[in-house]
Amino acid sequence: MTLPDGGPGGTPQSMEGKAMHALVERLYPICRSITGDGLRRTLDIIGEYVPLSVTEVPTGTTVLDWNVPKEWNIRDAYVKDPSGRRVIDFRASNLHVVGYSVPVSGTYSLEELRPHLHTLPDRPSLVPYRTSYYAETWGFCLSQDTLDGLGDGPYEVLIDSTLEDGSLTIAEHVVPGRLAEEVVISCHVCHPSLANDNLAGVAVAVALARTLREPRYTYRFLFMPGTIGAITWLALNRERLHLVRAGLTLACAGDPGPLTYKRSRRGDAEIDRAVTHVLRGREHSVLEFSPYGYDERQFCSPGFNLPFGGLTRTPYAGYPEYHTSGDNPGFVTPAAMEDTLDALKQVVEVLEGDGTYVNLSPYGEPQLGRRGLYESLGGRSDTKQAQMAMLWVLNLSDGEHSLLDISRRSKLPFADVKAAAEALLDAGLMEEKR
Ligand code: ZN
């Protein structure tokens, strides 16, 4: 195994857009579901990029109000026409089988098959993505165009699957920080051949994890099946959820649309303020919390009410390729994934660098020249902006305003405000609020 940008054992290096896209393409063919070997194979591959700790939770385990379901695995599936040709073929695309289909073997006329066939009449060239996790049934998905071309049959039908006791798999990658408090990034990994939802999110999360070096906070990356995975993780980690300082669900991270942030249930948590501030300089939209969407639904359920927002590009169900064969690696771009990664790096910079300070010389402006602070700005091309940052930090550092607050109010980049604060600390003009 050769990593796209280095090798195992060496210092992790950053992943560029092309490397993220290559990971999407590598994971795309695997038939994932909320349980099973496709999910495990996916986690094995992610584990080549960032070390994972994997937990298997047995079928039947009670997790909050749910139970871990039976494990589903599939080897092959088809519908063959009277000439023996596979007119619907799992090997061509795993979207052709309804996820969690029970095994089937028999001969059916087209009329008998119809209740088991799913199409998108309004997008006739696309194959839909369908699942039936909690009702035991079977089915095939195909394009309306293919269905329109089918004769009366009879058809030989096979779904070579198993649905039996096993386990549900969840995986975590932890970057230890100086503090035990955690920033959590969660990605669902239960969808089969769909690229934006959510292999792009996985690739961006992996890339972000590889940029972190001795951070202040501990960073925890969760790769889990949607809904039941998050519910299982919450059930297993109930005693340590007080350590979660900020969280994000990351999905749909590679489509060409602008970034969208969905606020946490709290609405004004640190993560909400950090992400909305970072997005200010970009085309973007901000959505208020709603109890629908991705796993922020679980993290923000009222009993937990964790400070979890959701970051996507085009949001949940907001593009015609969503949950169809149109959501393939051609739909996600290296540039869009790089842009998502860049925004996340800035969010990390804000979370890591924020703090609240007290100006020790608050009566009149302190004399900056005497302390060499003007000279320290002299060589910069943006001297004026750096000087403004210093004045804003001095003025608002009354123990009530954090650097992020100051950055928002002054409309100056967080990095400039942070640099000013460090210079003022070095000069002995401020101290950290205790
Ligand atoms: Zn989805």
Side-chain angles (χ1 to χ4, degrees):
M1 164 65 197
T2 305
L3 293 176
D5 55 297
T11 308
Q13 294 162 23
S14 65
M15 285 169 71
E16 299 306 320
K18 269 163 81 174
M20 289 188 274
H21 197 270
L23 178 54
V24 169
E25 285 187 321
R26 191 172 169 210
L27 294 172
Y28 180 75
I30 299 172
C31 185
R32 278 164 292 273
S33 189
I34 55 172
T35 62
D37 290 332
L39 174 58
R40 292 190 188 95
R41 174 80 188 120
T42 298
L43 297 174
D44 283 348
I45 291 172
I46 296 170
E48 293 175 11
Y49 294 75
V50 289
L52 295 181
S53 82
V54 175
T55 306
E56 297 279 354
V57 184
T59 299
T61 305
T62 300
V63 284
L64 307 180
D65 196 45
W66 298 54
N67 291 303
V68 172
K70 289 179 180 171
E71 180 178 326
W72 186 67
N73 284 291
I74 181 164
R75 288 153 294 277
D76 194 9
Y78 57 75
V79 173
K80 281 183 184 171
D81 71 8
S83 74
R85 191 172 66 94
R86 289 179 176 228
V87 291
I88 307 174
D89 186 1
F90 172 76
R91 289 178 187 165
S93 166
N94 55 47
L95 295 180
H96 282 308
V97 175
V98 172
Y100 261 67
S101 281
V102 296
V104 174
S105 174
T107 305
Y108 294 78
S109 69
L110 182 60
E111 281 319 298
E112 291 169 325
L113 257 183
R114 271 189 197 278
H116 297 280
L117 300 181
H118 304 273
T119 65
L120 294 168
D122 61 328
R123 284 161 285 169
S125 66
L126 298 178
V127 179
Y129 161 54
R130 293 275 190 278
T131 62
S132 180
Y133 299 136
Y134 301 104
E136 291 200 0
T137 182
W138 60 274
F140 288 90
C141 300
L142 66 166
S143 70
Q144 184 66 41
D145 290 343
T146 302
L147 178 59
D148 291 345
L150 294 183
D152 293 338
Y155 292 94
E156 182 190 334
V157 174
L158 176 86
I159 297 180
D160 179 13
S161 65
T162 46
L163 186 58
E164 49 197 23
D165 285 355
S167 59
L168 174 132
T169 315
I170 59 181
E172 307 180 51
H173 170 67
V174 176
V175 181
R178 297 194 296 282
L179 301 175
E181 277 183 290
E182 294 188 353
V183 177
V184 179
I185 309 279
S186 179
C187 298
H188 64 279
V189 285
C190 51
H191 287 23
S193 288
L194 297 170
N196 198 38
D197 179 20
N198 187 28
L199 299 177
V202 168
V204 170
V206 165
L208 179 68
R210 287 163 61 93
T211 67
L212 297 170
R213 301 278 184 285
E214 299 176 359
R216 173 160 69 138
Y217 298 117
T218 294
Y219 286 75
R220 185 176 299 274
F221 293 82
L222 304 176
F223 301 98
M224 326 188 285
T227 308
I228 187 66
I231 282 169
T232 301
W233 184 83
L234 285 163
L236 296 179
N237 289 277
R238 214 164 174 165
E239 300 310 316
R240 51 189 315 289
L241 295 177
H242 62 279
L243 292 173
V244 177
R245 184 182 176 97
L248 274 178
T249 56
L250 181 58
C252 302
D255 68 85
L259 285 160
T260 303
Y261 178 65
K262 176 179 161 181
R263 288 183 185 275
S264 73
R265 182 176 182 271
R266 300 183 188 185
D268 66 343
E270 183 182 20
I271 187 69
D272 299 313
R273 284 180 281 122
V275 178
T276 54
H277 182 68
V278 163
L279 294 184
R280 245 181 2 194
R282 306 159 181 260
E283 186 192 354
H284 75 282
S285 50
V286 174
L287 306 175
E288 294 306 317
F289 177 77
S290 76
Y292 201 64
Y294 292 107
D295 282 332
E296 66 276 4
R297 295 161 66 163
Q298 313 308 331
F299 299 116
C300 295
S301 54
F304 296 119
N305 196 23
L306 293 173
F308 255 78
L311 187 67
T312 60
R313 299 192 70 84
T314 305
Y316 190 88
Y319 47 96
E321 296 85 355
Y322 175 80
H323 279 193
T324 75
S325 53
D327 183 3
N328 55 50
F331 178 61
V332 300
T333 70
M337 282 189 278
E338 259 181 29
D339 183 61
T340 308
L341 176 61
D342 184 60
L344 283 168
K345 286 181 188 169
Q346 288 183 39
V347 170
V348 167
E349 181 182 275
V350 169
L351 294 174
E352 288 284 299
D354 200 15
T356 303
Y357 299 90
V358 179
N359 177 351
L360 299 174
S361 182
Y363 301 101
E365 284 180 358
Q367 219 183 336
L368 300 180
R370 174 152 60 85
R371 296 177 171 87
L373 287 166
Y374 278 127
E375 288 79 351
S376 76
L377 304 175
R380 298 179 52 145
S381 56
D382 56 347
T383 307
K384 181 74 187 160
Q385 182 158 302
Q387 189 184 333
M388 284 309 297
M390 218 169 259
L391 296 176
W392 274 108
V393 171
L394 280 168
N395 189 280
L396 289 180
S397 288
D398 52 6
E400 300 296 318
H401 301 90
S402 73
L403 297 183
L404 177 55
D405 296 332
I406 297 169
S407 177
R408 288 162 70 95
R409 182 141 164 204
S410 66
K411 299 191 167 54
L412 291 168
F414 182 83
D416 287 3
V417 170
K418 176 72 179 168
E422 277 170 357
L424 292 166
L425 280 169
D426 285 348
L429 281 170
M430 294 204 309
E431 66 178 16
E432 192 159 7
K433 187 193 177 188
R434 299 188 188 285

